[in-house]
Amino acid sequence: MAILRGTKDNFFSLIKDGITLAYFSNPKTEECQITRANLESIEKDIKKDITFVEINVNEEKKVVDKFPVDISPTIILFKNGKILKSKIGSQSKSQLTQFISPFN
């Protein structure tokens, strides 16, 4: 599986069922690029069915405005459409692994 692109048209259906890690990013920033690379690495090793979705904060304002996203990158973990927890700022691979470990 790969990191999916979240848009105003598909985001809410993507988070509706199961576990979803939503990554709100500004792809032009170094922090977001590093976090995305770490997410890509983790996503390949995931044992459980966790959907990874990236939302571009510059292009998808209608999605971003629905959530507590003040700084990118922001990561929000959803279960069946409900927020479980979130993390703000650049994240190392180990921080991301620990963040999702209860669900992997």
Side-chain angles (χ1 to χ4, degrees):
M1 207 163 152
I3 297 176
L4 304 174
R5 182 171 180 255
T7 67
K8 65 179 174 25
D9 298 324
N10 71 0
F11 181 75
F12 296 97
S13 63
L14 289 172
I15 67 168
K16 187 173 83 169
D17 296 315
I19 304 291
T20 305
L21 186 144
Y23 169 54
F24 294 83
S25 78
N26 176 351
K28 295 178 182 177
T29 69
E30 185 177 348
E31 279 187 319
C32 290
Q33 291 171 10
I34 291 168
T35 300
R36 179 174 170 74
N38 291 332
L39 283 171
E40 287 174 339
S41 176
I42 290 169
E43 190 269 338
K44 292 174 187 171
D45 298 329
I46 286 292
K47 295 177 180 80
K48 298 251 172 127
D49 190 18
I50 299 175
T51 303
F52 287 69
V53 180
E54 181 176 9
I55 302 90
N56 184 320
V57 298
N58 300 319
E59 297 174 359
E60 299 298 335
K61 295 287 186 195
K62 288 185 178 181
V63 175
V64 174
D65 289 345
K66 302 278 185 196
F67 300 100
V69 179
D70 295 326
I71 300 169
S72 60
T74 294
I75 297 169
I76 301 176
L77 199 61
F78 293 89
K79 181 174 184 179
N80 298 330
K82 297 195 185 318
I83 295 174
L84 294 176
K85 59 182 179 174
S86 62
K87 205 141 181 84
I88 296 172
S90 182
Q91 305 295 315
S92 69
K93 186 175 177 181
S94 64
Q95 288 171 313
L96 291 167
T97 301
Q98 185 177 10
F99 183 72
I100 64 170
S101 66
F103 308 96
N104 187 22

